[in-house]
PDB file of all heavy atoms in Angstrom:
ATOM      1  N   LEU A   1     -21.432  53.863 -34.462  1.00  0.00           N
ATOM      2  CA  LEU A   1     -21.190  52.776 -35.410  1.00  0.00           C
ATOM      3  C   LEU A   1     -19.835  52.140 -35.198  1.00  0.00           C
ATOM      4  O   LEU A   1     -19.705  50.908 -35.155  1.00  0.00           O
ATOM      5  CB  LEU A   1     -21.319  53.321 -36.841  1.00  0.00           C
ATOM      6  CG  LEU A   1     -21.072  52.326 -37.976  1.00  0.00           C
ATOM      7  CD1 LEU A   1     -22.092  51.194 -37.921  1.00  0.00           C
ATOM      8  CD2 LEU A   1     -21.126  53.024 -39.323  1.00  0.00           C
ATOM      9  N   VAL A   2     -18.806  52.957 -35.037  1.00  0.00           N
ATOM     10  CA  VAL A   2     -17.453  52.429 -34.863  1.00  0.00           C
ATOM     11  C   VAL A   2     -17.326  51.678 -33.543  1.00  0.00           C
ATOM     12  O   VAL A   2     -16.713  50.605 -33.484  1.00  0.00           O
ATOM     13  CB  VAL A   2     -16.431  53.573 -34.956  1.00  0.00           C
ATOM     14  CG1 VAL A   2     -15.043  53.090 -34.539  1.00  0.00           C
ATOM     15  CG2 VAL A   2     -16.377  54.131 -36.365  1.00  0.00           C
ATOM     16  N   PHE A   3     -17.898  52.208 -32.472  1.00  0.00           N
ATOM     17  CA  PHE A   3     -17.793  51.540 -31.171  1.00  0.00           C
ATOM     18  C   PHE A   3     -18.453  50.164 -31.205  1.00  0.00           C
ATOM     19  O   PHE A   3     -17.896  49.182 -30.693  1.00  0.00           O
ATOM     20  CB  PHE A   3     -18.436  52.407 -30.094  1.00  0.00           C
ATOM     21  CG  PHE A   3     -18.323  51.830 -28.710  1.00  0.00           C
ATOM     22  CD1 PHE A   3     -17.215  52.093 -27.923  1.00  0.00           C
ATOM     23  CD2 PHE A   3     -19.320  51.015 -28.195  1.00  0.00           C
ATOM     24  CE1 PHE A   3     -17.099  51.553 -26.655  1.00  0.00           C
ATOM     25  CE2 PHE A   3     -19.220  50.472 -26.934  1.00  0.00           C
ATOM     26  CZ  PHE A   3     -18.104  50.737 -26.152  1.00  0.00           C
ATOM     27  N   ILE A   4     -19.644  50.084 -31.796  1.00  0.00           N
ATOM     28  CA  ILE A   4     -20.354  48.808 -31.832  1.00  0.00           C
ATOM     29  C   ILE A   4     -19.596  47.788 -32.673  1.00  0.00           C
ATOM     30  O   ILE A   4     -19.453  46.616 -32.284  1.00  0.00           O
ATOM     31  CB  ILE A   4     -21.780  49.023 -32.368  1.00  0.00           C
ATOM     32  CG1 ILE A   4     -22.603  49.803 -31.340  1.00  0.00           C
ATOM     33  CG2 ILE A   4     -22.454  47.700 -32.679  1.00  0.00           C
ATOM     34  CD1 ILE A   4     -23.983  50.161 -31.828  1.00  0.00           C
ATOM     35  N   LEU A   5     -19.101  48.210 -33.835  1.00  0.00           N
ATOM     36  CA  LEU A   5     -18.343  47.291 -34.679  1.00  0.00           C
ATOM     37  C   LEU A   5     -17.038  46.868 -34.020  1.00  0.00           C
ATOM     38  O   LEU A   5     -16.647  45.694 -34.088  1.00  0.00           O
ATOM     39  CB  LEU A   5     -18.067  47.943 -36.035  1.00  0.00           C
ATOM     40  CG  LEU A   5     -19.282  48.191 -36.936  1.00  0.00           C
ATOM     41  CD1 LEU A   5     -18.858  48.928 -38.206  1.00  0.00           C
ATOM     42  CD2 LEU A   5     -19.963  46.880 -37.301  1.00  0.00           C
ATOM     43  N   ALA A   6     -16.362  47.807 -33.369  1.00  0.00           N
ATOM     44  CA  ALA A   6     -15.090  47.489 -32.737  1.00  0.00           C
ATOM     45  C   ALA A   6     -15.268  46.558 -31.542  1.00  0.00           C
ATOM     46  O   ALA A   6     -14.410  45.706 -31.277  1.00  0.00           O
ATOM     47  CB  ALA A   6     -14.384  48.777 -32.307  1.00  0.00           C
ATOM     48  N   ALA A   7     -16.367  46.709 -30.821  1.00  0.00           N
ATOM     49  CA  ALA A   7     -16.584  45.863 -29.643  1.00  0.00           C
ATOM     50  C   ALA A   7     -16.750  44.395 -30.007  1.00  0.00           C
ATOM     51  O   ALA A   7     -16.414  43.511 -29.205  1.00  0.00           O
ATOM     52  CB  ALA A   7     -17.813  46.355 -28.876  1.00  0.00           C
ATOM     53  N   GLY A   8     -17.249  44.110 -31.188  1.00  0.00           N
ATOM     54  CA  GLY A   8     -17.448  42.725 -31.606  1.00  0.00           C
ATOM     55  C   GLY A   8     -16.408  42.219 -32.582  1.00  0.00           C
ATOM     56  O   GLY A   8     -16.616  41.175 -33.214  1.00  0.00           O
ATOM     57  N   PHE A   9     -15.277  42.924 -32.705  1.00  0.00           N
ATOM     58  CA  PHE A   9     -14.265  42.535 -33.685  1.00  0.00           C
ATOM     59  C   PHE A   9     -13.501  41.304 -33.225  1.00  0.00           C
ATOM     60  O   PHE A   9     -13.244  41.114 -32.034  1.00  0.00           O
ATOM     61  CB  PHE A   9     -13.307  43.704 -33.920  1.00  0.00           C
ATOM     62  CG  PHE A   9     -13.194  44.061 -35.370  1.00  0.00           C
ATOM     63  CD1 PHE A   9     -14.310  44.401 -36.093  1.00  0.00           C
ATOM     64  CD2 PHE A   9     -11.973  44.038 -36.014  1.00  0.00           C
ATOM     65  CE1 PHE A   9     -14.216  44.730 -37.426  1.00  0.00           C
ATOM     66  CE2 PHE A   9     -11.868  44.372 -37.346  1.00  0.00           C
ATOM     67  CZ  PHE A   9     -12.989  44.717 -38.055  1.00  0.00           C
ATOM     68  N   TYR A  10     -13.085  40.481 -34.207  1.00  0.00           N
ATOM     69  CA  TYR A  10     -12.391  39.240 -33.889  1.00  0.00           C
ATOM     70  C   TYR A  10     -11.067  39.091 -34.641  1.00  0.00           C
ATOM     71  O   TYR A  10     -10.037  38.796 -34.046  1.00  0.00           O
ATOM     72  CB  TYR A  10     -13.278  38.038 -34.198  1.00  0.00           C
ATOM     73  CG  TYR A  10     -12.557  36.716 -34.113  1.00  0.00           C
ATOM     74  CD1 TYR A  10     -12.195  36.184 -32.880  1.00  0.00           C
ATOM     75  CD2 TYR A  10     -12.218  36.000 -35.261  1.00  0.00           C
ATOM     76  CE1 TYR A  10     -11.505  34.977 -32.792  1.00  0.00           C
ATOM     77  CE2 TYR A  10     -11.547  34.798 -35.185  1.00  0.00           C
ATOM     78  CZ  TYR A  10     -11.187  34.289 -33.951  1.00  0.00           C
ATOM     79  OH  TYR A  10     -10.518  33.096 -33.854  1.00  0.00           O
ATOM     80  N   ILE A  11     -11.072  39.325 -35.961  1.00  0.00           N
ATOM     81  CA  ILE A  11      -9.908  39.007 -36.784  1.00  0.00           C
ATOM     82  C   ILE A  11      -8.704  39.856 -36.407  1.00  0.00           C
ATOM     83  O   ILE A  11      -7.610  39.334 -36.152  1.00  0.00           O
ATOM     84  CB  ILE A  11     -10.257  39.182 -38.280  1.00  0.00           C
ATOM     85  CG1 ILE A  11     -11.315  38.158 -38.692  1.00  0.00           C
ATOM     86  CG2 ILE A  11      -9.010  39.032 -39.137  1.00  0.00           C
ATOM     87  CD1 ILE A  11     -11.745  38.278 -40.132  1.00  0.00           C
ATOM     88  N   THR A  12      -8.871  41.166 -36.383  1.00  0.00           N
ATOM     89  CA  THR A  12      -7.732  42.054 -36.120  1.00  0.00           C
ATOM     90  C   THR A  12      -7.139  41.846 -34.726  1.00  0.00           C
ATOM     91  O   THR A  12      -5.913  41.729 -34.587  1.00  0.00           O
ATOM     92  CB  THR A  12      -8.142  43.522 -36.323  1.00  0.00           C
ATOM     93  OG1 THR A  12      -8.645  43.691 -37.653  1.00  0.00           O
ATOM     94  CG2 THR A  12      -6.962  44.443 -36.117  1.00  0.00           C
ATOM     95  N   PRO A  13      -7.936  41.803 -33.651  1.00  0.00           N
ATOM     96  CA  PRO A  13      -7.329  41.532 -32.332  1.00  0.00           C
ATOM     97  C   PRO A  13      -6.654  40.171 -32.272  1.00  0.00           C
ATOM     98  O   PRO A  13      -5.620  40.013 -31.606  1.00  0.00           O
ATOM     99  CB  PRO A  13      -8.523  41.614 -31.366  1.00  0.00           C
ATOM    100  CG  PRO A  13      -9.521  42.446 -32.075  1.00  0.00           C
ATOM    101  CD  PRO A  13      -9.366  42.124 -33.522  1.00  0.00           C
ATOM    102  N   ARG A  14      -7.227  39.186 -32.955  1.00  0.00           N
ATOM    103  CA  ARG A  14      -6.662  37.833 -32.900  1.00  0.00           C
ATOM    104  C   ARG A  14      -5.311  37.766 -33.601  1.00  0.00           C
ATOM    105  O   ARG A  14      -4.403  37.048 -33.150  1.00  0.00           O
ATOM    106  CB  ARG A  14      -7.628  36.843 -33.559  1.00  0.00           C
ATOM    107  CG  ARG A  14      -7.234  35.388 -33.399  1.00  0.00           C
ATOM    108  CD  ARG A  14      -7.378  34.948 -31.958  1.00  0.00           C
ATOM    109  NE  ARG A  14      -6.981  33.565 -31.771  1.00  0.00           N
ATOM    110  CZ  ARG A  14      -5.731  33.168 -31.533  1.00  0.00           C
ATOM    111  NH1 ARG A  14      -4.754  34.060 -31.436  1.00  0.00           N
ATOM    112  NH2 ARG A  14      -5.441  31.903 -31.372  1.00  0.00           N
ATOM    113  N   LEU A  15      -5.145  38.491 -34.709  1.00  0.00           N
ATOM    114  CA  LEU A  15      -3.926  38.395 -35.501  1.00  0.00           C
ATOM    115  C   LEU A  15      -2.882  39.432 -35.125  1.00  0.00           C
ATOM    116  O   LEU A  15      -1.684  39.145 -35.183  1.00  0.00           O
ATOM    117  CB  LEU A  15      -4.267  38.528 -36.992  1.00  0.00           C
ATOM    118  CG  LEU A  15      -5.131  37.428 -37.606  1.00  0.00           C
ATOM    119  CD1 LEU A  15      -5.408  37.715 -39.066  1.00  0.00           C
ATOM    120  CD2 LEU A  15      -4.470  36.059 -37.446  1.00  0.00           C
ATOM    121  N   MET A  16      -3.296  40.634 -34.763  1.00  0.00           N
ATOM    122  CA  MET A  16      -2.344  41.724 -34.542  1.00  0.00           C
ATOM    123  C   MET A  16      -2.158  42.072 -33.068  1.00  0.00           C
ATOM    124  O   MET A  16      -1.205  42.765 -32.723  1.00  0.00           O
ATOM    125  CB  MET A  16      -2.799  42.973 -35.310  1.00  0.00           C
ATOM    126  CG  MET A  16      -2.861  42.773 -36.810  1.00  0.00           C
ATOM    127  SD  MET A  16      -3.238  44.297 -37.714  1.00  0.00           S
ATOM    128  CE  MET A  16      -1.778  45.265 -37.361  1.00  0.00           C
ATOM    129  N   GLY A  17      -3.070  41.648 -32.206  1.00  0.00           N
ATOM    130  CA  GLY A  17      -2.961  41.953 -30.790  1.00  0.00           C
ATOM    131  C   GLY A  17      -2.123  40.936 -30.049  1.00  0.00           C
ATOM    132  O   GLY A  17      -1.861  39.829 -30.520  1.00  0.00           O
ATOM    133  N   GLY A  18      -1.697  41.309 -28.857  1.00  0.00           N
ATOM    134  CA  GLY A  18      -0.942  40.394 -28.021  1.00  0.00           C
ATOM    135  C   GLY A  18      -1.856  39.479 -27.221  1.00  0.00           C
ATOM    136  O   GLY A  18      -3.095  39.537 -27.329  1.00  0.00           O
ATOM    137  N   ASP A  19      -1.259  38.626 -26.413  1.00  0.00           N
ATOM    138  CA  ASP A  19      -2.049  37.696 -25.606  1.00  0.00           C
ATOM    139  C   ASP A  19      -2.903  38.430 -24.578  1.00  0.00           C
ATOM    140  O   ASP A  19      -3.953  37.930 -24.173  1.00  0.00           O
ATOM    141  CB  ASP A  19      -1.111  36.712 -24.895  1.00  0.00           C
ATOM    142  CG  ASP A  19      -0.399  35.797 -25.884  1.00  0.00           C
ATOM    143  OD1 ASP A  19      -0.946  35.587 -26.988  1.00  0.00           O
ATOM    144  OD2 ASP A  19       0.703  35.314 -25.558  1.00  0.00           O
ATOM    145  N   ARG A  20      -2.481  39.608 -24.160  1.00  0.00           N
ATOM    146  CA  ARG A  20      -3.217  40.375 -23.161  1.00  0.00           C
ATOM    147  C   ARG A  20      -4.195  41.369 -23.791  1.00  0.00           C
ATOM    148  O   ARG A  20      -4.786  42.175 -23.086  1.00  0.00           O
ATOM    149  CB  ARG A  20      -2.241  41.125 -22.249  1.00  0.00           C
ATOM    150  CG  ARG A  20      -1.297  40.218 -21.482  1.00  0.00           C
ATOM    151  CD  ARG A  20      -0.352  41.027 -20.610  1.00  0.00           C
ATOM    152  NE  ARG A  20      -1.076  41.810 -19.623  1.00  0.00           N
ATOM    153  CZ  ARG A  20      -1.483  41.347 -18.434  1.00  0.00           C
ATOM    154  NH1 ARG A  20      -1.222  40.087 -18.101  1.00  0.00           N
ATOM    155  NH2 ARG A  20      -2.138  42.125 -17.599  1.00  0.00           N
ATOM    156  N   ASP A  21      -4.339  41.318 -25.101  1.00  0.00           N
ATOM    157  CA  ASP A  21      -5.217  42.247 -25.802  1.00  0.00           C
ATOM    158  C   ASP A  21      -6.361  41.532 -26.528  1.00  0.00           C
ATOM    159  O   ASP A  21      -6.922  42.070 -27.489  1.00  0.00           O
ATOM    160  CB  ASP A  21      -4.419  43.070 -26.823  1.00  0.00           C
ATOM    161  CG  ASP A  21      -3.417  43.989 -26.158  1.00  0.00           C
ATOM    162  OD1 ASP A  21      -3.770  44.599 -25.129  1.00  0.00           O
ATOM    163  OD2 ASP A  21      -2.280  44.086 -26.657  1.00  0.00           O
ATOM    164  N   GLN A  22      -6.694  40.331 -26.098  1.00  0.00           N
ATOM    165  CA  GLN A  22      -7.786  39.600 -26.724  1.00  0.00           C
ATOM    166  C   GLN A  22      -9.125  40.087 -26.167  1.00  0.00           C
ATOM    167  O   GLN A  22      -9.260  40.349 -24.973  1.00  0.00           O
ATOM    168  CB  GLN A  22      -7.623  38.102 -26.488  1.00  0.00           C
ATOM    169  CG  GLN A  22      -6.356  37.532 -27.108  1.00  0.00           C
ATOM    170  CD  GLN A  22      -6.256  37.814 -28.599  1.00  0.00           C
ATOM    171  OE1 GLN A  22      -7.192  37.565 -29.357  1.00  0.00           O
ATOM    172  NE2 GLN A  22      -5.114  38.333 -29.025  1.00  0.00           N
ATOM    173  N   MET A  23     -10.115  40.169 -27.049  1.00  0.00           N
ATOM    174  CA  MET A  23     -11.404  40.738 -26.694  1.00  0.00           C
ATOM    175  C   MET A  23     -12.446  39.640 -26.519  1.00  0.00           C
ATOM    176  O   MET A  23     -12.158  38.447 -26.652  1.00  0.00           O
ATOM    177  CB  MET A  23     -11.826  41.752 -27.768  1.00  0.00           C
ATOM    178  CG  MET A  23     -10.797  42.873 -27.947  1.00  0.00           C
ATOM    179  SD  MET A  23     -11.075  43.897 -29.401  1.00  0.00           S
ATOM    180  CE  MET A  23     -12.633  44.673 -28.976  1.00  0.00           C
ATOM    181  N   LEU A  24     -13.693  40.061 -26.237  1.00  0.00           N
ATOM    182  CA  LEU A  24     -14.753  39.088 -25.961  1.00  0.00           C
ATOM    183  C   LEU A  24     -15.007  38.152 -27.135  1.00  0.00           C
ATOM    184  O   LEU A  24     -15.341  36.986 -26.934  1.00  0.00           O
ATOM    185  CB  LEU A  24     -16.053  39.829 -25.605  1.00  0.00           C
ATOM    186  CG  LEU A  24     -16.181  40.349 -24.170  1.00  0.00           C
ATOM    187  CD1 LEU A  24     -17.516  41.038 -23.987  1.00  0.00           C
ATOM    188  CD2 LEU A  24     -16.017  39.221 -23.160  1.00  0.00           C
ATOM    189  N   ALA A  25     -14.864  38.652 -28.354  1.00  0.00           N
ATOM    190  CA  ALA A  25     -15.096  37.797 -29.518  1.00  0.00           C
ATOM    191  C   ALA A  25     -14.121  36.625 -29.550  1.00  0.00           C
ATOM    192  O   ALA A  25     -14.496  35.508 -29.958  1.00  0.00           O
ATOM    193  CB  ALA A  25     -14.983  38.622 -30.799  1.00  0.00           C
ATOM    194  N   SER A  26     -12.890  36.853 -29.106  1.00  0.00           N
ATOM    195  CA  SER A  26     -11.919  35.756 -29.048  1.00  0.00           C
ATOM    196  C   SER A  26     -12.313  34.727 -27.999  1.00  0.00           C
ATOM    197  O   SER A  26     -12.132  33.516 -28.210  1.00  0.00           O
ATOM    198  CB  SER A  26     -10.525  36.320 -28.741  1.00  0.00           C
ATOM    199  OG  SER A  26     -10.113  37.229 -29.731  1.00  0.00           O
ATOM    200  N   ILE A  27     -12.850  35.176 -26.881  1.00  0.00           N
ATOM    201  CA  ILE A  27     -13.312  34.249 -25.843  1.00  0.00           C
ATOM    202  C   ILE A  27     -14.491  33.415 -26.358  1.00  0.00           C
ATOM    203  O   ILE A  27     -14.573  32.208 -26.114  1.00  0.00           O
ATOM    204  CB  ILE A  27     -13.706  35.014 -24.568  1.00  0.00           C
ATOM    205  CG1 ILE A  27     -12.526  35.856 -24.069  1.00  0.00           C
ATOM    206  CG2 ILE A  27     -14.171  34.057 -23.483  1.00  0.00           C
ATOM    207  CD1 ILE A  27     -11.322  35.048 -23.680  1.00  0.00           C
ATOM    208  N   ILE A  28     -15.392  34.052 -27.068  1.00  0.00           N
ATOM    209  CA  ILE A  28     -16.542  33.332 -27.642  1.00  0.00           C
ATOM    210  C   ILE A  28     -16.060  32.272 -28.622  1.00  0.00           C
ATOM    211  O   ILE A  28     -16.527  31.120 -28.603  1.00  0.00           O
ATOM    212  CB  ILE A  28     -17.504  34.320 -28.322  1.00  0.00           C
ATOM    213  CG1 ILE A  28     -18.117  35.261 -27.283  1.00  0.00           C
ATOM    214  CG2 ILE A  28     -18.604  33.577 -29.068  1.00  0.00           C
ATOM    215  CD1 ILE A  28     -18.972  36.354 -27.885  1.00  0.00           C
ATOM    216  N   ALA A  29     -15.118  32.650 -29.505  1.00  0.00           N
ATOM    217  CA  ALA A  29     -14.600  31.687 -30.486  1.00  0.00           C
ATOM    218  C   ALA A  29     -13.899  30.517 -29.792  1.00  0.00           C
ATOM    219  O   ALA A  29     -14.037  29.362 -30.219  1.00  0.00           O
ATOM    220  CB  ALA A  29     -13.642  32.389 -31.440  1.00  0.00           C
ATOM    221  N   TYR A  30     -13.175  30.786 -28.723  1.00  0.00           N
ATOM    222  CA  TYR A  30     -12.476  29.720 -27.994  1.00  0.00           C
ATOM    223  C   TYR A  30     -13.475  28.776 -27.324  1.00  0.00           C
ATOM    224  O   TYR A  30     -13.292  27.547 -27.343  1.00  0.00           O
ATOM    225  CB  TYR A  30     -11.549  30.337 -26.950  1.00  0.00           C
ATOM    226  CG  TYR A  30     -10.775  29.320 -26.142  1.00  0.00           C
ATOM    227  CD1 TYR A  30      -9.652  28.705 -26.683  1.00  0.00           C
ATOM    228  CD2 TYR A  30     -11.168  28.970 -24.857  1.00  0.00           C
ATOM    229  CE1 TYR A  30      -8.937  27.764 -25.948  1.00  0.00           C
ATOM    230  CE2 TYR A  30     -10.465  28.032 -24.118  1.00  0.00           C
ATOM    231  CZ  TYR A  30      -9.353  27.433 -24.675  1.00  0.00           C
ATOM    232  OH  TYR A  30      -8.657  26.493 -23.956  1.00  0.00           O
ATOM    233  N   GLN A  31     -14.522  29.326 -26.741  1.00  0.00           N
ATOM    234  CA  GLN A  31     -15.527  28.486 -26.086  1.00  0.00           C
ATOM    235  C   GLN A  31     -16.260  27.600 -27.097  1.00  0.00           C
ATOM    236  O   GLN A  31     -16.618  26.456 -26.781  1.00  0.00           O
ATOM    237  CB  GLN A  31     -16.546  29.369 -25.355  1.00  0.00           C
ATOM    238  CG  GLN A  31     -15.985  30.138 -24.176  1.00  0.00           C
ATOM    239  CD  GLN A  31     -15.601  29.235 -23.012  1.00  0.00           C
ATOM    240  OE1 GLN A  31     -16.220  28.193 -22.795  1.00  0.00           O
ATOM    241  NE2 GLN A  31     -14.579  29.639 -22.262  1.00  0.00           N
ATOM    242  N   VAL A  32     -16.462  28.095 -28.315  1.00  0.00           N
ATOM    243  CA  VAL A  32     -17.190  27.323 -29.326  1.00  0.00           C
ATOM    244  C   VAL A  32     -16.281  26.327 -30.036  1.00  0.00           C
ATOM    245  O   VAL A  32     -16.626  25.143 -30.168  1.00  0.00           O
ATOM    246  CB  VAL A  32     -17.849  28.281 -30.341  1.00  0.00           C
ATOM    247  CG1 VAL A  32     -18.455  27.499 -31.513  1.00  0.00           C
ATOM    248  CG2 VAL A  32     -18.927  29.113 -29.665  1.00  0.00           C
ATOM    249  N   ASP A  33     -15.105  26.791 -30.492  1.00  0.00           N
ATOM    250  CA  ASP A  33     -14.247  25.945 -31.324  1.00  0.00           C
ATOM    251  C   ASP A  33     -13.456  24.919 -30.529  1.00  0.00           C
ATOM    252  O   ASP A  33     -13.232  23.800 -31.004  1.00  0.00           O
ATOM    253  CB  ASP A  33     -13.266  26.827 -32.117  1.00  0.00           C
ATOM    254  CG  ASP A  33     -13.977  27.740 -33.091  1.00  0.00           C
ATOM    255  OD1 ASP A  33     -15.117  27.404 -33.484  1.00  0.00           O
ATOM    256  OD2 ASP A  33     -13.401  28.791 -33.460  1.00  0.00           O
ATOM    257  N   VAL A  34     -13.027  25.270 -29.328  1.00  0.00           N
ATOM    258  CA  VAL A  34     -12.146  24.395 -28.563  1.00  0.00           C
ATOM    259  C   VAL A  34     -12.905  23.633 -27.480  1.00  0.00           C
ATOM    260  O   VAL A  34     -12.838  22.403 -27.398  1.00  0.00           O
ATOM    261  CB  VAL A  34     -10.989  25.210 -27.936  1.00  0.00           C
ATOM    262  CG1 VAL A  34     -10.074  24.300 -27.113  1.00  0.00           C
ATOM    263  CG2 VAL A  34     -10.185  25.910 -29.029  1.00  0.00           C
ATOM    264  N   LEU A  35     -13.648  24.358 -26.643  1.00  0.00           N
ATOM    265  CA  LEU A  35     -14.328  23.732 -25.511  1.00  0.00           C
ATOM    266  C   LEU A  35     -15.718  23.213 -25.855  1.00  0.00           C
ATOM    267  O   LEU A  35     -16.306  22.467 -25.069  1.00  0.00           O
ATOM    268  CB  LEU A  35     -14.427  24.733 -24.351  1.00  0.00           C
ATOM    269  CG  LEU A  35     -13.086  25.275 -23.825  1.00  0.00           C
ATOM    270  CD1 LEU A  35     -13.329  26.242 -22.670  1.00  0.00           C
ATOM    271  CD2 LEU A  35     -12.169  24.134 -23.399  1.00  0.00           C
ATOM    272  N   LEU A  36     -16.266  23.630 -26.979  1.00  0.00           N
ATOM    273  CA  LEU A  36     -17.622  23.238 -27.403  1.00  0.00           C
ATOM    274  C   LEU A  36     -18.663  23.588 -26.337  1.00  0.00           C
ATOM    275  O   LEU A  36     -19.671  22.890 -26.178  1.00  0.00           O
ATOM    276  CB  LEU A  36     -17.675  21.740 -27.717  1.00  0.00           C
ATOM    277  CG  LEU A  36     -16.738  21.245 -28.831  1.00  0.00           C
ATOM    278  CD1 LEU A  36     -16.879  19.748 -29.012  1.00  0.00           C
ATOM    279  CD2 LEU A  36     -17.014  21.975 -30.132  1.00  0.00           C
ATOM    280  N   ASN A  37     -18.421  24.678 -25.623  1.00  0.00           N
ATOM    281  CA  ASN A  37     -19.335  25.128 -24.566  1.00  0.00           C
ATOM    282  C   ASN A  37     -20.247  26.203 -25.159  1.00  0.00           C
ATOM    283  O   ASN A  37     -20.044  27.407 -24.965  1.00  0.00           O
ATOM    284  CB  ASN A  37     -18.539  25.676 -23.380  1.00  0.00           C
ATOM    285  CG  ASN A  37     -19.413  25.869 -22.157  1.00  0.00           C
ATOM    286  OD1 ASN A  37     -20.649  25.787 -22.224  1.00  0.00           O
ATOM    287  ND2 ASN A  37     -18.786  26.115 -21.018  1.00  0.00           N
ATOM    288  N   PHE A  38     -21.252  25.770 -25.890  1.00  0.00           N
ATOM    289  CA  PHE A  38     -22.118  26.697 -26.614  1.00  0.00           C
ATOM    290  C   PHE A  38     -22.971  27.542 -25.668  1.00  0.00           C
ATOM    291  O   PHE A  38     -23.278  28.692 -25.978  1.00  0.00           O
ATOM    292  CB  PHE A  38     -23.021  25.917 -27.581  1.00  0.00           C
ATOM    293  CG  PHE A  38     -22.274  25.206 -28.666  1.00  0.00           C
ATOM    294  CD1 PHE A  38     -21.971  23.865 -28.553  1.00  0.00           C
ATOM    295  CD2 PHE A  38     -21.850  25.896 -29.794  1.00  0.00           C
ATOM    296  CE1 PHE A  38     -21.277  23.202 -29.555  1.00  0.00           C
ATOM    297  CE2 PHE A  38     -21.163  25.243 -30.803  1.00  0.00           C
ATOM    298  CZ  PHE A  38     -20.863  23.889 -30.689  1.00  0.00           C
ATOM    299  N   ASN A  39     -23.349  26.980 -24.546  1.00  0.00           N
ATOM    300  CA  ASN A  39     -24.199  27.722 -23.606  1.00  0.00           C
ATOM    301  C   ASN A  39     -23.440  28.906 -23.000  1.00  0.00           C
ATOM    302  O   ASN A  39     -23.969  30.020 -22.920  1.00  0.00           O
ATOM    303  CB  ASN A  39     -24.705  26.796 -22.511  1.00  0.00           C
ATOM    304  CG  ASN A  39     -25.584  25.690 -23.053  1.00  0.00           C
ATOM    305  OD1 ASN A  39     -26.200  25.833 -24.111  1.00  0.00           O
ATOM    306  ND2 ASN A  39     -25.664  24.576 -22.343  1.00  0.00           N
ATOM    307  N   PHE A  40     -22.206  28.669 -22.572  1.00  0.00           N
ATOM    308  CA  PHE A  40     -21.419  29.744 -21.997  1.00  0.00           C
ATOM    309  C   PHE A  40     -21.051  30.781 -23.060  1.00  0.00           C
ATOM    310  O   PHE A  40     -21.053  31.987 -22.796  1.00  0.00           O
ATOM    311  CB  PHE A  40     -20.155  29.183 -21.353  1.00  0.00           C
ATOM    312  CG  PHE A  40     -19.351  30.193 -20.595  1.00  0.00           C
ATOM    313  CD1 PHE A  40     -19.900  30.875 -19.514  1.00  0.00           C
ATOM    314  CD2 PHE A  40     -18.048  30.482 -20.967  1.00  0.00           C
ATOM    315  CE1 PHE A  40     -19.153  31.815 -18.816  1.00  0.00           C
ATOM    316  CE2 PHE A  40     -17.298  31.418 -20.281  1.00  0.00           C
ATOM    317  CZ  PHE A  40     -17.856  32.089 -19.200  1.00  0.00           C
TER     318      PHE A  40
END
């Protein structure tokens, strides 16, 4: 349960992590909010 939830986490890595500690959820948010690349 913890591994699955942690793998998809967005808020905590985005606010408390460094630039080199961003996870896949941050990449997804960037592709949707900034690049509007919904397919990727």
Side-chain angles (χ1 to χ4, degrees):
L1 179 62
V2 170
F3 183 88
I4 291 175
L5 293 176
F9 234 57
Y10 170 73
I11 295 179
T12 303
R14 188 69 181 87
L15 295 179
M16 298 186 66
D19 294 335
R20 299 180 61 85
D21 294 319
Q22 298 304 310
M23 302 169 65
L24 280 181
S26 300
I27 303 298
I28 295 174
Y30 180 79
Q31 293 291 328
V32 172
D33 296 336
V34 179
L35 301 181
L36 300 179
N37 192 349
F38 296 98
N39 297 335
F40 187 60

